[in-house]
Amino acid sequence: MDYGEETEGVTRVAADKYRSILNEETENTQWRHGGPPIFNAVNKLFEEGRTKEWPKGSLGETVQNAVKSWEMELSHKTRLQDFKTINPEKFKLIVNGGEGLSGEETLKLGSYNALLKSSLPEEFKYYKADEETFESSHHEFRSAFPRGFAWEVIAVYSGPPVVTYKFRHWGYFEGPFKGHRPTGEMAQFYGVGIMKVDESMRAEDVEIYYDPAELFGGLLKGPLLCDDSPKEEGKSTETAKASSGCPFSKST
């Protein structure tokens, strides 16, 4: 989810040292926002906040850049046929042991909805992926993390053809999220990935395991924006929210 800046109408960009496939794109590639993305802001966040700097050419660097490139394609391309990082005929994404998603299903849902789908009862869901679109999910997280949501590999346990790695995902909660006021604090979580790849390092099966509560604990700790509304004398906070039409009130 190392999302880049939207580049409406841009057809060529400067080389990206973490996503080299951007330098190999053709004019026939169909981009979600009219042109290839630019990752200057999130690359800066990544370089300033990473906890592990892999040697050039190492397995860690190769895995890290492969996943960054895969996330780039998933967020910014609209046709599976333009993907260079997955085997579209075999690809499956499994999150926390849930139902496997095909390449087309993952592309339709978007990276956030695919990774945040949950089988929990409705009342226990932090984020309801089934009620979000690709566009709305990206808007929520872009708003919450205006500098980007950086991603790094911090350990690699096995190499190809089945790559197992530990990752860290982080950003600064500096914009509103689901009606919660930003805290300005870092929000982060850790997880483990298991990725089966072919001889060209294209992903065939990707399994991701992590605790969503680690992320949402940081995003939901900010007070509701409605809490800033002036309260009428003699009314509780919840009553005041309901009477003012606050969309984030439990009463509505």
Side-chain angles (χ1 to χ4, degrees), residues 153-166:
V153 166
I154 57 177
V156 179
Y157 304 114
S158 64
V162 180
V163 182
T164 306
Y165 57 91
K166 184 177 182 180

Side-chain angles (χ1 to χ4, degrees), residues 64-79:
Q64 183 169 262
N65 291 351
V67 177
K68 284 178 180 288
S69 296
W70 169 65
E71 289 188 343
M72 178 278 295
E73 292 193 305
L74 183 58
S75 294
H76 294 279
K77 293 182 176 180
T78 60
R79 301 185 306 181

Side-chain angles (χ1 to χ4, degrees), residues 62-157:
T62 300
V63 173
Q64 183 169 262
N65 291 351
V67 177
K68 284 178 180 288
S69 296
W70 169 65
E71 289 188 343
M72 178 278 295
E73 292 193 305
L74 183 58
S75 294
H76 294 279
K77 293 182 176 180
T78 60
R79 301 185 306 181
L80 212 59
Q81 69 193 64
D82 292 329
F83 278 47
K84 296 180 171 67
T85 59
I86 71 169
N87 183 329
E89 296 179 358
K90 295 184 178 181
F91 182 82
K92 285 285 184 184
L93 173 65
I94 300 171
V95 179
N96 288 333
E99 180 184 359
L101 297 172
S102 68
E104 288 291 354
E105 290 170 327
T106 305
L107 181 60
K108 181 179 179 180
L109 285 171
S111 53
Y112 289 108
N113 288 336
L115 291 169
L116 294 171
K117 281 177 67 68
S118 172
S119 58
L120 287 171
E122 289 296 310
E123 62 268 26
F124 297 121
K125 288 183 179 179
Y126 308 104
Y127 175 92
K128 298 181 179 180
D130 293 340
E131 297 179 5
E132 301 287 345
T133 64
F134 183 107
E135 291 75 17
S136 69
S137 64
H138 277 252
H139 173 74
E140 288 288 352
F141 284 94
R142 287 176 188 273
S143 296
F145 299 117
R147 285 193 277 165
F149 199 23
W151 188 92
E152 67 170 337
V153 166
I154 57 177
V156 179
Y157 304 114

